[in-house]
Amino acid sequence: MRLPVRATRVEFTALEIAELRRHFQRGPSKGEVAVESLFTAVSPGTEGAVFKSLPNAVRAFPYPPGYSGVGVVKKSGRGTSIKPGELVAGQLGHSSLTNVPEAELIRYEQSADHVYMSFVELGCIVQQGIRKAHVRLGDHVAILGTGLLGQLSVSYAHLLGAGKITLVGRSTRRKVSSSEHLPEHDYLVVGEDGTVETKADLVIECVGTPEAVIQAIGLSRDGGTVINLGSPRNSISLLAITNLIASKSVKLKGAHISTLPKSTVNFDDLSKIDERKVFRHLISDGLLSMPEIETVPTNANVNVNMAYERLNRGTIPTTVVFEW
């Protein structure tokens, strides 16, 4: 018999209200391991949208957010190979103790940076998009969106040998932070008419709005490629998009973590487990430049709610990591 134990987790209890709440966590079932969290990374786009109940992100409250983190295995369920005491990274919510299917985790070594490893799931999202972009040596890569996914995309484009990288945002708010923490890149601001004077071989769209998709196509040269990371927050006029794509002969590709295959097919279609292993390698070997990150202790409600409020207001440079 698996007796439940007390645990603490973050919950959105109402519109724009985040709280730390106690709950009882059952023991791990077959194929699961119980993970005691060390750090869990906040996804500003997804969690921020749910926090504010934006279109396509409305959830019933209370809602427990989070899907990326690291921790120590406390107990292993039947049929698992991961043992108690091992460090793991993967699909962890913002909770002090979580039962996670073994298939959603990878092991990692103590020498790796725990905070950086907590971004493993977000890294997988960007890696999938970068793979589909087929970055070639010397390519001009434009990245629309200066948040977490956009800044990670700068680092990946640099790793793959992009000749020029242009980060495009709505304001200069993240210009200093990105220049201090990321590889060399240009930083452009969208004009009042919604346009930017640049034409790139590849465009990575990391904003998730219909307007951003249209802007991304506008940033592409004729015959270029546009990658749409994640899920748009509103419906998009297919007619407007189709006409714009046709006028520029642009390739538009979607990249969503839910479409990753269970088993690796080829270089373009790695499984989620293999994508996690790639991220682990990049972090363990210090190859991936990470954006500015703020660590927030989960020892008080005020810390948790304030973190989401500050993300909502844009007063945190990129994102936060909860420390458990």
Side-chain angles (χ1 to χ4, degrees), residues 2 27 43 53 76 81 211 224 292 301:
R2 304 182 188 91
S43 170
S53 289
S76 302
S81 61
E211 296 78 15
E292 185 175 359
N301 266 331

Side-chain angles (χ1 to χ4, degrees), residues 21 27 32 57 109 114 133 135 162 203 214 220 231 248 268 293-294 312-313:
R21 284 194 164 184
E32 293 181 334
E109 298 298 325
H114 301 307
V135 179
V203 182
I214 293 172
S220 172
S231 305
K248 301 189 68 173
D268 288 340
I293 298 163
E294 185 170 322
N312 194 17
R313 294 196 303 265

Side-chain angles (χ1 to χ4, degrees), residues 70-282:
V70 295
V72 180
V73 173
K74 302 303 290 183
K75 190 174 183 179
S76 302
R78 290 183 295 112
T80 57
S81 61
I82 300 177
K83 305 302 180 186
E86 291 191 286
L87 290 168
V88 291
Q91 205 169 84
L92 274 67
H94 299 311
S95 178
S96 61
L97 185 67
T98 310
N99 291 329
V100 186
E102 183 177 30
E104 298 297 340
L105 297 168
I106 58 168
R107 300 174 176 88
Y108 74 97
E109 298 298 325
Q110 180 72 36
S111 57
D113 188 295
H114 301 307
V115 171
Y116 289 170
M117 277 299 302
S118 71
F119 286 87
V120 59
E121 300 298 287
L122 294 141
C124 288
I125 294 172
V126 178
Q127 285 171 194
Q128 186 196 23
I130 288 291
R131 286 183 192 285
K132 291 188 174 183
H134 293 164
V135 179
R136 298 171 299 181
L137 290 174
D139 273 345
H140 178 192
V141 179
I143 297 153
L144 183 59
T146 60
L148 177 61
L149 296 186
Q151 293 198 33
L152 283 173
S153 296
V154 170
S155 295
Y156 280 103
H158 173 75
L159 276 177
L160 292 174
K164 180 179 180 180
I165 302 172
T166 304
L167 185 59
V168 181
R170 291 177 297 177
S171 71
T172 59
R173 180 165 53 88
R174 294 191 174 110
K175 184 174 183 178
V176 173
S177 174
S178 67
S179 65
E180 291 177 348
H181 292 81
L182 302 178
E184 183 178 350
H185 60 278
D186 294 332
Y187 191 108
L188 299 180
V189 177
V190 176
E192 292 183 2
D193 59 355
T195 62
V196 177
E197 293 302 320
T198 192
K199 297 298 176 186
D201 301 301
L202 306 166
V203 182
I204 313 294
E205 188 278 300
C206 305
V207 179
T209 64
E211 296 78 15
V213 175
I214 293 172
Q215 286 175 347
I217 296 172
L219 288 170
S220 172
R221 65 167 174 79
D222 289 353
T225 299
V226 175
I227 304 297
N228 176 224
L229 280 187
S231 305
R233 298 300 172 202
N234 288 293
S235 59
I236 298 175
S237 169
L238 292 179
L239 179 61
I241 294 293
T242 301
N243 289 340
L244 190 55
I245 290 172
S247 69
K248 301 189 68 173
S249 299
V250 168
K251 296 177 183 177
L252 179 63
K253 301 179 181 180
H256 195 281
I257 196 168
S258 65
T259 64
L260 290 175
K262 291 184 178 180
S263 301
T264 293
V265 178
N266 51 42
F267 177 80
D268 288 340
D269 291 302
L270 263 63
S271 68
K272 195 184 294 186
I273 285 291
D274 285 340
E275 287 286 18
R276 290 184 182 120
K277 290 177 180 178
V278 170
F279 184 81
R280 178 181 64 192
H281 165 67
L282 295 175

Side-chain angles (χ1 to χ4, degrees), residues 18-20 296-297 299-309:
E19 298 182 66
L20 279 173
V296 175
N299 56 3
N301 266 331
V302 64
N303 290 346
V304 171
N305 196 66
M306 184 62 70
Y308 284 103
E309 286 184 353

